[in-house]
Amino acid sequence: MGGLLRRILAALLTSLGVLLLVFFLLHLAPGDPVAVMLGDHARPADYTALRHALGLEQGLPTQLGHYLLALTQGDLGHSLHSQQTVSSVLAARIPATLQLALVALLFALLLAVPLGLAAALYKDRWPDHVSSSFALLGLSIPNFWLGPMLIMLFAIYLDWLPVSGQQGFASVLLPALTLGTSMAALLARMTRASVLDVLQEDYVRTAKAKGLPATQIMWRHVLRNAALPLLTLLGLQFGALLSGAVITELIFSWPGIGSLLIESIQQRDYPLVQGVVLLIALTYVTVNLLTDLAYARLDPRIQAD
Amino acid sequence: MSAEKPTVSDTRQQPVLRVEGLLTHLGPQDNPLRVVDDVSFDIYRGETLALLGESGCGKSMTAFSLMRLLPPGGRIRRGRVVLNGSNLLHLNESEMRSVRGGRMGMIFQEPMTSLNPVMTVGEQIAEAVHLHDDLARSEVRSRVIELLKDVGIPAPQQRIDDYPHQMSGGMKQRVMIAMALAGKPDLLIADEPTTALDVTIQLQVLQLMKKLQREHGMAIMLITHDLGVVSQVADRLAVMYAGHLVETADTRDFFVQPAHPYSRKLLQALPLAQRRQKNLSIIKGQVSSLQQHFTRCRFEPRCDQSIAACARVLPDWTELSGGHKVRCLLWQPEYHLKTSQSKQNEPQQAIESARSDAGEVVLIANNLKVYFPVRKGLFKRVVAHVKAVDGVSLELRRGRTTALVGESGSGKTTVGKAILQLQKATAGQVRFGTTELTGLPAADMRRLRKHLQIIFQDPLSAMNPRMLVQDIVAEGLRAQKLFKSHKEVYEQVRKRLQQVGLSADSMTRYPHEFSGGQRQRICIARALAVEPQLIICDEPTSALDVSVQAQILNLLKGLQRQMNLSYLFITHDLSVVSWLADEVAVMYLGRIVELGRVEQIMSQPRHPYTQVLLSAIPEIDSSRAGAQASNDGDRRKSIRLEGDIPSPIDAPSGCHFHPRCPKALPVCREQYPSPVPMGERGYVCCVLYAEQS
């Protein structure tokens, strides 16, 4: 268990490092939250008063000290813009991102694994060509093009699905499709390569020599082993999805973490940006940690330590 | 299914397996490789037939044809494979599946990779049990435990839930055998079952197969390139060359009088002590391409004894005596006259004058230790050490070969690396001439590397695949700045390649374009290029076929004489040692247990471990095989070792060898024996000899 403890410790330290980096970068960057809040015609006196009220005229180390001290008590501060607590703003946005990420992941898996498998089993024949073409397309089409095209086709021309926003389950489909396509492409390629690798293995030959039927060889011997490298990729990709798919959320006005990040940066809402970044960092390291733990469970050669 | 009835005239019992005229093609339809070309043989109940041949001769393809498990592009064109009366080539795929792992089981060369790493060994054996036995869940488990017990796995109730990586290579091969036994096979096909195992473990596995054969009466088809393994376990053998059987005989008859010129060459290529004074016999040229349809003897281009007719006639079987048959015109009566006149083997050129002097010392390793830390816990504390090398002292002499012998995990390769400072030594000194190498500044060490070179076991992975041969060989010359101009560098490269028997046009080719033996020649040329004084040869011939090994060994010995080179020859193969080495050091778990002159160690091994290693070399000299046949191996009884080689993390207390030693005394458990001097400069670390001195 010492190993797990060490991993968790390392994960927390990584998140703290990211937080510090963002803290200083934000304050170094040009732009001023108070100016954004008061608009162009504000009086200097109001400006100074607001700065003081928000504690922005203090030195950076002092501000950081206050922030970290509050953080140890679980307090992420208040949004400069809306005055709500950062944690409540985050909490309001997380479900949308989670929903989008899960649906996109499910879509990607359902599409990619059969495609990759077919490509490997029928290597150099038409299923392989179909699958490879899809993968090439999926990887080369950018989300900022695919999203609007899907909107035009399904929302405007066919009028089957809502254009944007989050109203009901149907509204998640288009953004999930947009996000899932490139992920499915990557996964399909990985599945194909991984299955082809495993098919070459001596233990698959052993399974055949044992007289096992093909389906049993596929499920027990090939897929279980081929899934291992996929898991790593899946962990990384899912981490990225959970941290908010910035462009896709923007296109579909999806009220998730990604669009929150953009809004808060535009408003120079320092506590909120820091809160979002901390959440993203923690999500990333947690998903990675879980991936490694799952890996250790699936592959007996690797111990959790 | 067509039932095959034995003919009325057939008075012998029906064979378990009869293969007739098997023809297997691989690759494109219009220009196929004829990997198995008209192969026929029988195997009877309780019999072991060895299919003997060098790599690429079609042995494994024959086995995969029998199992109908050919790789993609492989197809059986003709022939019959009759197992207990039914022709397997007529079965549909689902019927064939029930034969695989049922009446016909198979085990493979690489036990390390032949088991699924994410399933317990119990689950994998259970799969086989399920397929061929209708048992309830609880019964399956007890059947698996029973099978594990049958193949000699200790504590099977616990080991059943182990994953393959928790087992040693020998154990994994036993699991493979257990899996094959689950279907109660009539025929077990063993494809190089012990090639990847150490000699002491090889003996255990071979004896296990023999025991199971006696108990179950199954027939075994043993595929091997190793004449030693054949002589140990086979009843009959068939020699395969270029997809074709060329000779078949009882094992004893074969070793007394091998008939086919190829078979004789194989036996003559073996490095043996009594051949020390001569170059090893080699086979000229390379195996003919299998893309042609042969209408002549396929060994003819490489045969020393060929006559004109060999290039015109495809030889048919000639029966020499009961069951000893050969496909060679020289044995057919109508050509027989010419045979007696044809020249016998060319006399082997004597290469060695007696060496009485010891030679000056080039390099001394003193009490060399290499420990690898084992770390655990939150702060990666060092909790233990793997003592890979634990106090090794050696003297290497000019123009001489010192062999470092041991099984895997003995630390022999690490000694080589530590001497070259490729691996930092934990303690001890390495003195080259007057220079101490440990702790030498990197720049000085780089200059000294001119004198110290190394050759590895796998030549392909030891070369950068994207570099031309000329640049591979030239790299050392450039690093040492030995020549000013490109022209001079390449001139030296050309000279060295020529010296190892490669033509100048190989300079502008890539490593993958060469055969295994040629690649090792390139690596030797690379080592020679800087004109070193000492070369560390780390298993340089272990990956090569016998006939190619003979060429490389001849080359190494010749170069040693020409250039007065010193070799540290790291190997597990004692027959190579007996032919090549002057001095032998035997390692076990990081320490040298015995050291001495080669004649003394080979004829009078003192340490029980050395005795075991030597007993594992099979007797294959033809003059002795007869004697062995008459009084059944009284001279060389194989000493079987129990258990696996322990891990160097927790080496046994006292003498490391005592848990496996057939002669261990109580005192052996307590302290490591100190060296007892034997002969000049030799010693043995064993209490059995302590009182004598």
Side-chain angles (χ1 to χ4, degrees), chain A residues 2 6 202-203 205-206 208-213 220-221 224-225 228 298 300-301, chain B residues 97 100-101 108 113-118 124 127 131-132 163 165 176 179 377-378:
Chain A
R6 194 173 58 235
D202 289 347
Y203 53 79
R205 185 182 60 188
T206 305
K208 287 182 190 158
K210 231 190 262 187
L212 286 180
R220 287 216 202 150
H221 294 275
R224 264 182 79 172
N225 282 287
L228 293 174
L298 286 177
R301 287 166 296 185
Chain B
R97 247 195 333 262
R100 286 183 207 127
F108 303 95
T113 55
S114 291
L115 289 167
N116 185 341
V118 303
Q124 298 188 52
E127 275 188 335
L131 281 175
H132 304 286
Y163 286 96
H165 73 275
M176 289 293 293
M179 220 180 308
L378 190 56

Coordinates of all heavy atoms in Angstrom, one line a residue, chain A residues 2 6 202-203 205-206 208-213 220-221 224-225 228 298 300-301, chain B residues 97 100-101 108 113-118 124 127 131-132 163 165 176 179 377-378:
Chain A
G2 N 2.1 1.1 0.4 CA 3.0 2.2 0.4 C 3.1 2.8 -1.0 O 3.2 4.1 -1.1
R6 N 2.3 6.7 -2.1 CA 3.3 7.5 -2.8 C 2.7 8.1 -4.1 O 2.9 9.3 -4.4 CB 4.5 6.6 -3.1 CG 5.7 7.5 -3.5 CD 7.0 6.6 -3.7 NE 6.8 5.6 -4.7 CZ 6.9 4.3 -4.5 NH1 7.3 3.9 -3.3 NH2 6.8 3.4 -5.4
D202 N 3.0 -16.3 -29.2 CA 3.1 -17.7 -29.1 C 1.9 -18.3 -28.4 O 1.5 -19.4 -28.7 CB 4.4 -18.1 -28.4 CG 5.6 -17.8 -29.2 OD1 5.4 -17.6 -30.4 OD2 6.7 -17.9 -28.7
Y203 N 1.4 -17.6 -27.4 CA 0.3 -18.2 -26.6 C -1.0 -18.3 -27.4 O -1.9 -19.1 -27.0 CB 0.1 -17.4 -25.2 CG -0.1 -16.0 -25.3 CD1 -1.4 -15.4 -25.7 CD2 0.9 -15.1 -25.0 CE1 -1.6 -14.1 -25.7 CE2 0.7 -13.7 -25.1 CZ -0.5 -13.2 -25.4 OH -0.7 -11.8 -25.5
R205 N -0.9 -19.3 -30.5 CA -0.7 -20.5 -31.2 C -0.9 -21.7 -30.2 O -1.5 -22.7 -30.6 CB 0.8 -20.5 -31.6 CG 1.2 -21.7 -32.4 CD 2.7 -21.7 -32.7 NE 3.5 -21.6 -31.5 CZ 4.8 -21.4 -31.5 NH1 5.5 -21.2 -32.6 NH2 5.5 -21.4 -30.4
T206 N -0.5 -21.5 -28.9 CA -0.8 -22.5 -27.9 C -2.3 -22.8 -27.8 O -2.7 -23.9 -27.8 CB -0.3 -22.1 -26.6 OG1 1.1 -21.8 -26.7 CG2 -0.4 -23.2 -25.5
K208 N -4.6 -22.3 -30.0 CA -5.0 -23.1 -31.2 C -4.7 -24.5 -31.1 O -5.5 -25.4 -31.4 CB -4.4 -22.5 -32.5 CG -5.0 -21.2 -32.9 CD -4.4 -20.7 -34.2 CE -4.7 -19.3 -34.5 NZ -3.7 -18.7 -35.4
A209 N -3.4 -24.8 -30.7 CA -3.0 -26.2 -30.6 C -3.7 -27.0 -29.5 O -3.8 -28.2 -29.5 CB -1.5 -26.2 -30.2
K210 N -4.3 -26.2 -28.6 CA -5.1 -26.8 -27.5 C -6.5 -27.3 -28.1 O -7.2 -28.1 -27.5 CB -5.4 -25.7 -26.5 CG -5.1 -26.1 -25.1 CD -5.7 -25.0 -24.2 CE -4.6 -24.0 -23.7 NZ -5.2 -23.1 -22.8
G211 N -6.9 -26.8 -29.2 CA -8.1 -27.1 -29.8 C -9.3 -26.2 -29.5 O -10.4 -26.5 -29.6
L212 N -9.0 -25.0 -29.0 CA -10.0 -24.1 -28.6 C -10.7 -23.5 -29.8 O -10.1 -23.3 -30.8 CB -9.4 -22.9 -27.8 CG -9.0 -23.1 -26.4 CD1 -8.4 -21.8 -25.8 CD2 -10.1 -23.6 -25.5
P213 N -12.0 -23.3 -29.7 CA -12.7 -22.7 -30.8 C -12.3 -21.2 -31.0 O -11.9 -20.6 -30.0 CB -14.2 -22.8 -30.5 CG -14.3 -23.4 -29.1 CD -12.9 -23.7 -28.7
R220 N -10.8 -14.8 -24.8 CA -10.0 -15.0 -23.6 C -8.5 -14.7 -23.8 O -7.9 -14.2 -22.9 CB -10.1 -16.5 -23.2 CG -11.4 -16.9 -22.6 CD -11.2 -17.9 -21.6 NE -12.4 -18.6 -21.3 CZ -12.5 -19.8 -21.0 NH1 -11.4 -20.5 -20.8 NH2 -13.6 -20.4 -20.8
H221 N -8.1 -15.0 -25.0 CA -6.6 -14.9 -25.2 C -6.2 -13.6 -25.9 O -5.3 -12.9 -25.5 CB -6.1 -16.1 -25.9 CG -6.2 -17.4 -25.1 ND1 -5.3 -17.7 -24.1 CD2 -7.2 -18.3 -25.0 CE1 -5.7 -18.8 -23.5 NE2 -6.8 -19.2 -24.1
R224 N -8.3 -10.0 -24.2 CA -7.8 -9.6 -22.8 C -6.4 -9.0 -22.9 O -6.1 -8.1 -22.1 CB -7.8 -10.8 -21.9 CG -9.1 -11.0 -21.1 CD -9.1 -12.1 -20.2 NE -8.3 -11.9 -19.0 CZ -8.3 -12.8 -18.0 NH1 -9.0 -13.9 -18.1 NH2 -7.6 -12.5 -17.0
N225 N -5.6 -9.5 -23.7 CA -4.2 -9.0 -23.8 C -4.1 -7.7 -24.6 O -3.4 -6.8 -24.3 CB -3.3 -10.1 -24.4 CG -2.9 -11.1 -23.3 OD1 -2.1 -10.8 -22.4 ND2 -3.4 -12.3 -23.4
L228 N -4.9 -4.2 -22.9 CA -3.9 -3.6 -22.0 C -3.4 -2.3 -22.6 O -3.5 -1.2 -21.9 CB -2.8 -4.5 -21.6 CG -3.3 -5.7 -20.8 CD1 -2.1 -6.7 -20.5 CD2 -3.8 -5.2 -19.5
L298 N -5.6 -5.8 -14.3 CA -5.8 -6.6 -15.5 C -4.5 -7.4 -15.9 O -4.6 -8.4 -16.5 CB -6.2 -5.7 -16.6 CG -7.6 -5.3 -16.6 CD1 -7.9 -4.3 -17.7 CD2 -8.6 -6.4 -16.6
P300 N -1.4 -9.3 -14.4 CA -0.8 -9.8 -13.2 C 0.7 -9.5 -13.1 O 1.3 -9.6 -12.0 CB -1.1 -11.2 -13.2 CG -1.4 -11.6 -14.6 CD -2.0 -10.3 -15.2
R301 N 1.3 -9.3 -14.3 CA 2.8 -9.1 -14.2 C 3.2 -7.7 -13.5 O 4.3 -7.5 -13.1 CB 3.4 -9.1 -15.6 CG 3.4 -10.5 -16.2 CD 3.6 -10.4 -17.7 NE 2.5 -9.7 -18.4 CZ 2.4 -9.6 -19.7 NH1 3.4 -10.0 -20.4 NH2 1.4 -9.0 -20.2
Chain B
R97 N -10.4 -29.6 -34.8 CA -10.2 -28.9 -33.5 C -10.2 -29.9 -32.3 O -9.5 -29.8 -31.4 CB -11.2 -27.9 -33.3 CG -10.7 -26.5 -33.3 CD -11.6 -25.4 -32.7 NE -13.0 -25.6 -32.8 CZ -13.8 -25.1 -33.7 NH1 -13.2 -24.4 -34.7 NH2 -15.1 -25.3 -33.7
R100 N -6.8 -31.6 -32.2 CA -5.8 -30.8 -31.6 C -6.0 -30.7 -30.1 O -7.1 -30.4 -29.6 CB -5.9 -29.3 -32.1 CG -5.4 -29.2 -33.5 CD -5.5 -27.7 -33.9 NE -5.7 -27.6 -35.3 CZ -6.7 -26.9 -35.9 NH1 -7.5 -26.2 -35.2 NH2 -6.7 -26.9 -37.2
G101 N -5.0 -31.0 -29.4 CA -5.1 -30.9 -27.9 C -5.8 -32.1 -27.4 O -5.9 -32.3 -26.2
F108 N 5.9 -26.3 -27.4 CA 6.7 -25.4 -28.2 C 8.0 -25.1 -27.6 O 8.3 -25.4 -26.4 CB 5.9 -24.1 -28.5 CG 4.6 -24.4 -29.2 CD1 3.4 -24.5 -28.4 CD2 4.5 -24.6 -30.5 CE1 2.2 -24.7 -29.0 CE2 3.3 -24.9 -31.1 CZ 2.1 -24.9 -30.4
T113 N 7.0 -17.6 -23.7 CA 6.0 -16.8 -24.3 C 4.8 -17.6 -24.8 O 3.9 -17.1 -25.4 CB 6.6 -16.1 -25.6 OG1 7.2 -17.1 -26.4 CG2 7.7 -15.1 -25.2
S114 N 4.8 -18.9 -24.5 CA 3.8 -19.8 -25.0 C 2.6 -19.8 -24.1 O 1.6 -20.5 -24.4 CB 4.3 -21.2 -25.3 OG 5.2 -21.2 -26.4
L115 N 2.7 -19.2 -22.9 CA 1.5 -19.2 -22.0 C 1.0 -17.8 -22.0 O 1.7 -16.8 -22.0 CB 2.0 -19.6 -20.6 CG 2.3 -21.1 -20.5 CD1 3.0 -21.4 -19.2 CD2 1.0 -21.9 -20.6
N116 N -0.4 -17.7 -21.9 CA -1.0 -16.4 -21.8 C -0.7 -15.7 -20.5 O -1.0 -16.3 -19.4 CB -2.5 -16.6 -21.9 CG -3.3 -15.3 -22.0 OD1 -2.8 -14.3 -21.6 ND2 -4.5 -15.4 -22.5
P117 N -0.1 -14.5 -20.5 CA 0.4 -13.9 -19.3 C -0.7 -13.4 -18.3 O -0.4 -13.2 -17.2 CB 1.2 -12.7 -19.8 CG 0.7 -12.4 -21.1 CD 0.3 -13.7 -21.7
V118 N -1.9 -13.2 -18.8 CA -3.0 -12.7 -18.0 C -3.9 -13.7 -17.4 O -4.9 -13.4 -16.8 CB -3.8 -11.5 -18.6 CG1 -2.9 -10.4 -19.1 CG2 -4.6 -12.1 -19.8
Q124 N -5.5 -22.0 -17.7 CA -5.1 -22.4 -19.0 C -5.1 -23.9 -19.2 O -5.5 -24.4 -20.2 CB -3.7 -21.8 -19.3 CG -3.8 -20.3 -19.3 CD -2.5 -19.7 -19.8 OE1 -2.0 -20.0 -20.9 NE2 -1.9 -18.8 -19.0
E127 N -8.8 -25.0 -19.4 CA -9.4 -24.9 -20.7 C -9.3 -26.2 -21.5 O -10.2 -26.6 -22.2 CB -8.7 -23.8 -21.5 CG -9.2 -22.4 -21.2 CD -8.5 -21.4 -22.2 OE1 -7.4 -21.6 -22.7 OE2 -9.1 -20.3 -22.4
L131 N -12.3 -29.0 -22.7 CA -12.5 -29.3 -24.1 C -12.6 -30.8 -24.4 O -13.3 -31.2 -25.2 CB -11.4 -28.7 -25.0 CG -11.4 -27.3 -25.3 CD1 -10.2 -26.9 -26.0 CD2 -12.6 -27.0 -26.2
H132 N -11.8 -31.5 -23.6 CA -11.6 -32.9 -24.0 C -12.2 -33.9 -22.9 O -12.1 -35.1 -23.0 CB -10.2 -33.2 -24.3 CG -9.6 -32.3 -25.3 ND1 -9.9 -32.5 -26.6 CD2 -8.8 -31.3 -25.2 CE1 -9.3 -31.5 -27.4 NE2 -8.7 -30.8 -26.5
Y163 N 0.4 -17.1 -11.9 CA 0.5 -16.7 -13.2 C 1.8 -17.1 -13.8 O 2.8 -17.4 -13.1 CB 0.4 -15.1 -13.3 CG -1.0 -14.7 -13.0 CD1 -1.4 -14.3 -11.7 CD2 -2.0 -14.6 -14.0 CE1 -2.7 -13.9 -11.5 CE2 -3.2 -14.2 -13.8 CZ -3.6 -13.8 -12.5 OH -4.9 -13.4 -12.2
H165 N 4.3 -15.7 -15.2 CA 5.5 -14.9 -14.8 C 6.1 -15.3 -13.5 O 7.2 -15.0 -13.1 CB 5.3 -13.4 -14.9 CG 4.5 -12.9 -13.8 ND1 3.1 -12.9 -13.8 CD2 4.8 -12.3 -12.6 CE1 2.7 -12.3 -12.7 NE2 3.7 -12.0 -12.0
M176 N 3.1 -26.5 -19.9 CA 2.7 -26.8 -21.3 C 2.5 -28.3 -21.5 O 1.6 -28.7 -22.2 CB 3.9 -26.3 -22.3 CG 4.0 -24.8 -22.4 SD 2.6 -24.0 -23.2 CE 2.7 -24.7 -24.8
M179 N -0.7 -29.3 -20.1 CA -1.8 -28.9 -21.0 C -2.0 -29.9 -22.1 O -3.2 -30.3 -22.5 CB -1.5 -27.6 -21.5 CG -2.7 -26.7 -21.6 SD -2.3 -25.1 -22.2 CE -1.1 -24.4 -21.5
G377 N 9.1 0.4 -1.0 CA 8.5 1.3 -0.1 C 8.4 2.7 -0.6 O 8.8 3.0 -1.7
L378 N 7.9 3.6 0.3 CA 7.6 5.0 0.0 C 8.8 5.7 -0.4 O 8.8 6.5 -1.3 CB 7.0 5.6 1.3 CG 6.4 7.0 1.1 CD1 5.3 7.0 0.0 CD2 5.8 7.4 2.4

